[in-house]
Amino acid sequence: MATEPVEGTVKTMIKAILACDANGGVGNKGTLPWPHVKRDFQWFKENTVGHIVVMGSTTYLDPDMPKPMPKRKNVVVTTKPETCPQADEFISGDVVQGIRAVEQKYAGLITWVIGGPNIIEQTLGIIDEFYISRIPGEFECDVHLPMKKIEGLFERTWSEEYDDVTFEIWKKRK
C-alpha cells in the first residue's frame, strides 16, 4: 500500500508500465517476443519521458533497449553495476527500499517500474497504478507478469483498443 506523504514532502507516484501478450507473457530470451508495435513504443515514451524508469538488468541489457533511455533517469536493479555503466542510479539489495530512496531523491517525478516480472512482483505493494499494453495473440515467452496477483490487487479503470494493441490503466484497489 502506498504510504501517505510526510508533511512538507511532495507525494510522487510509483507506476508500472509494460506490454504483454494474451497470456501475460512479456519476454523471451531477454527481449520482446512480438514484432515492433510503434503505437506501444509511443505510449511508453509519452508516459515515461522526463521521469524515472526502474528496471532489472535483463531489461536494461535487452539488445533493443537504448542505453541509457533518453530523457529519463535510468535506475537499474543489479548486483553488478559494472554491466550497466550508462545507468544514472543502481539498486542492489531491498528493491522497495531502493525505489523509495530514488523516489525521495527525485521528488516530484513519477517513478515507472518497467520490468521485468521479478521486479514487478517485488514492488506490487508500492505500485499505485499499472499501465498495461495488451499485444493481441500468444507469443513464445519465457517470462510472464503475475497477472492473477495484479488483477487481485488492482482494478482496470480505463482502456482504449486499437488493432495492434489495447492500452489499459489499472489502479490499486481500496
Side-chain angles (χ1 to χ4, degrees):
M1 179 180 273
T3 58
E4 291 299 314
V6 177
E7 192 172 312
T9 65
V10 176
K11 170 63 176 130
T12 57
M13 290 202 71
I14 297 175
K15 300 181 182 187
I17 186 166
L18 298 106
C20 68
D21 72 1
N23 296 321
V26 295
N28 189 32
K29 297 181 177 95
T31 194
L32 294 177
W34 45 78
H36 180 81
V37 179
K38 185 177 181 180
R39 189 185 320 266
D40 179 48
F41 278 80
Q42 188 62 34
W43 162 262
F44 180 87
K45 182 179 177 182
E46 286 172 2
N47 282 292
T48 62
V49 162
H51 296 287
I52 304 159
V53 288
V54 177
M55 67 203 90
S57 58
T58 301
T59 300
Y60 184 82
L61 295 171
D62 179 332
D64 295 327
M65 177 83 71
K67 292 161 205 46
M69 295 185 73
K71 300 180 184 172
R72 301 163 187 91
K73 292 291 181 190
N74 289 246
V75 179
V76 180
V77 178
T78 182
T79 57
K80 299 177 183 174
E82 66 277 5
T83 64
C84 311
Q86 300 98 336
D88 297 299
E89 305 273 343
F90 300 98
I91 296 172
S92 30
D94 186 310
V95 176
V96 170
Q97 186 177 3
I99 288 175
R100 289 292 191 203
V102 167
E103 181 184 35
Q104 283 186 332
K105 183 175 181 177
Y106 299 105
L109 298 182
I110 297 170
T111 301
W112 289 95
V113 179
I114 67 169
N118 186 30
I119 305 298
I120 294 296
E121 187 124 22
Q122 291 179 60
T123 58
L124 282 173
I126 62 169
I127 292 172
D128 299 302
E129 294 180 352
F130 265 91
Y131 284 50
I132 299 177
S133 301
R134 303 267 188 174
I135 307 300
E138 298 176 13
F139 296 85
E140 184 177 337
C141 295
D142 57 11
V143 288
H144 294 78
L145 287 175
M147 289 309 297
K148 288 194 187 300
K149 286 183 181 180
I150 292 169
E151 291 167 357
L153 294 170
F154 298 82
E155 62 183 320
R156 186 175 61 199
T157 59
W158 176 86
S159 70
E160 189 168 299
E161 188 172 343
Y162 298 92
D163 290 341
D164 54 351
V165 63
T166 298
F167 299 119
E168 300 175 346
I169 297 177
W170 293 68
K171 294 187 180 190
K172 189 159 276 178
R173 294 181 189 276
K174 295 185 186 211

